[in-house]
Short mmCIF file of all heavy atoms in Angstrom, two decimals:
data_model
loop_
_atom_site.label_atom_id
_atom_site.label_comp_id
_atom_site.label_asym_id
_atom_site.label_seq_id
_atom_site.Cartn_x
_atom_site.Cartn_y
_atom_site.Cartn_z
N LEU V 91 -27.38 38.62 -121.49
CA LEU V 91 -26.07 38.92 -120.93
C LEU V 91 -25.42 37.64 -120.40
O LEU V 91 -26.04 36.92 -119.63
CB LEU V 91 -26.29 39.92 -119.78
CG LEU V 91 -25.22 40.95 -119.54
CD1 LEU V 91 -24.97 41.75 -120.80
CD2 LEU V 91 -25.67 41.86 -118.43
N PRO V 92 -24.19 37.35 -120.80
CA PRO V 92 -23.57 36.11 -120.34
C PRO V 92 -23.00 36.21 -118.92
O PRO V 92 -22.23 35.36 -118.50
CB PRO V 92 -22.48 35.86 -121.37
CG PRO V 92 -22.16 37.20 -121.91
CD PRO V 92 -23.38 38.04 -121.78
N PHE V 93 -23.34 37.23 -118.18
CA PHE V 93 -22.91 37.33 -116.78
C PHE V 93 -24.00 38.02 -115.99
O PHE V 93 -24.93 38.59 -116.58
CB PHE V 93 -21.58 38.09 -116.67
CG PHE V 93 -21.59 39.44 -117.29
CD1 PHE V 93 -21.99 40.55 -116.57
CD2 PHE V 93 -21.22 39.62 -118.62
CE1 PHE V 93 -22.02 41.80 -117.15
CE2 PHE V 93 -21.24 40.87 -119.20
CZ PHE V 93 -21.64 41.96 -118.46
N GLY V 94 -23.92 37.94 -114.68
CA GLY V 94 -24.95 38.56 -113.84
C GLY V 94 -24.54 39.98 -113.50
O GLY V 94 -23.36 40.27 -113.33
N ILE V 95 -25.52 40.86 -113.42
CA ILE V 95 -25.18 42.24 -113.13
C ILE V 95 -26.19 42.83 -112.15
O ILE V 95 -27.37 42.49 -112.18
CB ILE V 95 -25.11 43.07 -114.44
CG1 ILE V 95 -24.42 44.40 -114.22
CG2 ILE V 95 -26.48 43.26 -115.06
CD1 ILE V 95 -23.86 44.99 -115.48
N SER V 96 -25.71 43.66 -111.24
CA SER V 96 -26.61 44.31 -110.30
C SER V 96 -26.28 45.79 -110.28
O SER V 96 -25.16 46.18 -109.99
CB SER V 96 -26.42 43.69 -108.92
OG SER V 96 -27.14 44.43 -107.98
N PHE V 97 -27.27 46.61 -110.62
CA PHE V 97 -27.05 48.04 -110.67
C PHE V 97 -27.39 48.69 -109.35
O PHE V 97 -28.17 48.17 -108.56
CB PHE V 97 -27.92 48.68 -111.75
CG PHE V 97 -27.54 48.28 -113.12
CD1 PHE V 97 -28.15 47.21 -113.73
CD2 PHE V 97 -26.56 48.98 -113.80
CE1 PHE V 97 -27.79 46.83 -115.01
CE2 PHE V 97 -26.20 48.60 -115.08
CZ PHE V 97 -26.81 47.53 -115.68
N LEU V 98 -26.81 49.86 -109.15
CA LEU V 98 -27.09 50.61 -107.93
C LEU V 98 -28.57 51.02 -107.88
O LEU V 98 -29.22 50.93 -106.84
CB LEU V 98 -26.20 51.85 -107.90
CG LEU V 98 -26.36 52.79 -106.73
CD1 LEU V 98 -26.05 52.07 -105.44
CD2 LEU V 98 -25.43 53.98 -106.89
N ASP V 99 -29.11 51.44 -109.02
CA ASP V 99 -30.48 51.96 -109.03
C ASP V 99 -31.49 50.90 -109.45
O ASP V 99 -32.55 51.20 -109.95
CB ASP V 99 -30.58 53.17 -109.95
CG ASP V 99 -30.29 52.82 -111.39
OD1 ASP V 99 -29.78 51.72 -111.63
OD2 ASP V 99 -30.57 53.64 -112.28
N GLU V 100 -31.11 49.64 -109.25
CA GLU V 100 -32.00 48.59 -109.71
C GLU V 100 -33.33 48.59 -108.94
O GLU V 100 -33.37 48.90 -107.76
CB GLU V 100 -31.30 47.26 -109.48
CG GLU V 100 -31.90 46.15 -110.25
CD GLU V 100 -30.97 44.97 -110.18
OE1 GLU V 100 -29.98 44.97 -110.91
OE2 GLU V 100 -31.23 44.07 -109.37
N GLY V 101 -34.38 48.24 -109.63
CA GLY V 101 -35.70 48.27 -109.01
C GLY V 101 -36.11 46.94 -108.41
O GLY V 101 -35.39 45.95 -108.49
N TYR V 102 -37.26 46.97 -107.77
CA TYR V 102 -37.86 45.77 -107.20
C TYR V 102 -39.35 45.96 -107.35
O TYR V 102 -39.81 47.05 -107.69
CB TYR V 102 -37.46 45.63 -105.72
CG TYR V 102 -37.86 46.83 -104.92
CD1 TYR V 102 -39.07 46.86 -104.22
CD2 TYR V 102 -37.06 47.97 -104.92
CE1 TYR V 102 -39.47 48.00 -103.55
CE2 TYR V 102 -37.46 49.10 -104.25
CZ TYR V 102 -38.65 49.11 -103.57
OH TYR V 102 -39.04 50.24 -102.93
N TYR V 103 -40.14 44.92 -107.11
CA TYR V 103 -41.57 45.05 -107.26
C TYR V 103 -42.19 45.42 -105.91
O TYR V 103 -42.13 44.64 -104.98
CB TYR V 103 -42.19 43.77 -107.83
CG TYR V 103 -41.63 43.47 -109.19
CD1 TYR V 103 -40.63 42.52 -109.37
CD2 TYR V 103 -42.06 44.17 -110.29
CE1 TYR V 103 -40.09 42.27 -110.62
CE2 TYR V 103 -41.54 43.94 -111.55
CZ TYR V 103 -40.55 42.99 -111.70
OH TYR V 103 -40.02 42.77 -112.93
N GLU V 104 -42.73 46.62 -105.86
CA GLU V 104 -43.21 47.16 -104.58
C GLU V 104 -44.28 46.30 -103.93
O GLU V 104 -44.35 46.19 -102.73
CB GLU V 104 -43.81 48.55 -104.82
CG GLU V 104 -42.78 49.59 -105.12
CD GLU V 104 -43.40 50.95 -105.30
OE1 GLU V 104 -44.64 51.04 -105.36
OE2 GLU V 104 -42.62 51.91 -105.38
N ARG V 105 -45.14 45.71 -104.76
CA ARG V 105 -46.28 45.01 -104.19
C ARG V 105 -46.06 43.52 -104.00
O ARG V 105 -46.90 42.85 -103.45
CB ARG V 105 -47.51 45.24 -105.10
CG ARG V 105 -48.03 46.67 -105.05
CD ARG V 105 -49.17 46.86 -106.00
NE ARG V 105 -48.70 46.86 -107.36
CZ ARG V 105 -48.29 47.95 -108.01
NH1 ARG V 105 -48.31 49.10 -107.41
NH2 ARG V 105 -47.86 47.88 -109.25
N LEU V 106 -44.95 43.01 -104.48
CA LEU V 106 -44.71 41.58 -104.31
C LEU V 106 -43.93 41.34 -103.02
O LEU V 106 -43.08 42.13 -102.64
CB LEU V 106 -43.91 41.03 -105.49
CG LEU V 106 -44.57 41.05 -106.85
CD1 LEU V 106 -43.71 40.30 -107.85
CD2 LEU V 106 -45.96 40.43 -106.82
N THR V 107 -44.23 40.21 -102.36
CA THR V 107 -43.48 39.89 -101.17
C THR V 107 -42.10 39.35 -101.56
O THR V 107 -41.85 39.04 -102.73
CB THR V 107 -44.19 38.80 -100.34
OG1 THR V 107 -44.19 37.61 -101.10
CG2 THR V 107 -45.60 39.20 -100.00
N VAL V 108 -41.24 39.24 -100.57
CA VAL V 108 -39.89 38.75 -100.82
C VAL V 108 -39.95 37.36 -101.46
O VAL V 108 -39.28 37.08 -102.45
CB VAL V 108 -39.10 38.71 -99.50
CG1 VAL V 108 -37.76 38.04 -99.69
CG2 VAL V 108 -38.91 40.11 -98.95
N ARG V 109 -40.80 36.51 -100.91
CA ARG V 109 -40.89 35.15 -101.43
C ARG V 109 -41.40 35.13 -102.87
O ARG V 109 -40.93 34.36 -103.70
CB ARG V 109 -41.78 34.29 -100.53
CG ARG V 109 -41.85 32.84 -100.94
CD ARG V 109 -42.51 31.96 -99.91
NE ARG V 109 -41.59 31.47 -98.92
CZ ARG V 109 -40.83 30.39 -99.11
NH1 ARG V 109 -40.89 29.71 -100.22
NH2 ARG V 109 -40.02 29.98 -98.16
N GLU V 110 -42.37 36.02 -103.14
CA GLU V 110 -42.89 36.09 -104.52
C GLU V 110 -41.81 36.55 -105.50
O GLU V 110 -41.75 36.08 -106.63
CB GLU V 110 -44.11 37.02 -104.58
CG GLU V 110 -45.37 36.37 -104.04
CD GLU V 110 -46.49 37.37 -103.75
OE1 GLU V 110 -46.24 38.59 -103.73
OE2 GLU V 110 -47.61 36.91 -103.52
N HIS V 111 -40.97 37.47 -105.05
CA HIS V 111 -39.82 37.87 -105.88
C HIS V 111 -38.97 36.65 -106.20
O HIS V 111 -38.57 36.44 -107.34
CB HIS V 111 -38.93 38.86 -105.10
CG HIS V 111 -39.33 40.29 -105.24
ND1 HIS V 111 -40.16 40.91 -104.36
CD2 HIS V 111 -39.00 41.22 -106.15
CE1 HIS V 111 -40.32 42.17 -104.72
NE2 HIS V 111 -39.63 42.39 -105.80
N PHE V 112 -38.67 35.89 -105.16
CA PHE V 112 -37.79 34.75 -105.33
C PHE V 112 -38.39 33.73 -106.29
O PHE V 112 -37.69 33.19 -107.15
CB PHE V 112 -37.51 34.08 -103.97
CG PHE V 112 -36.47 34.81 -103.15
CD1 PHE V 112 -36.40 36.19 -103.15
CD2 PHE V 112 -35.56 34.10 -102.40
CE1 PHE V 112 -35.45 36.86 -102.41
CE2 PHE V 112 -34.59 34.75 -101.64
CZ PHE V 112 -34.55 36.13 -101.65
N THR V 113 -39.71 33.47 -106.10
CA THR V 113 -40.38 32.51 -106.99
C THR V 113 -40.27 32.97 -108.44
O THR V 113 -39.98 32.18 -109.33
CB THR V 113 -41.87 32.40 -106.61
OG1 THR V 113 -41.96 32.40 -105.20
CG2 THR V 113 -42.50 31.16 -107.17
#
Side-chain angles (χ1 to χ4, degrees):
Chain V
L91 213 56
F93 55 88
I95 195 158
S96 172
F97 292 93
L98 178 60
D99 63 347
E100 197 168 281
Y102 57 94
Y103 299 100
E104 288 182 351
R105 290 177 288 271
L106 295 188
T107 65
V108 173
R109 184 169 273 276
E110 283 165 347
H111 272 93
F112 280 38
T113 319

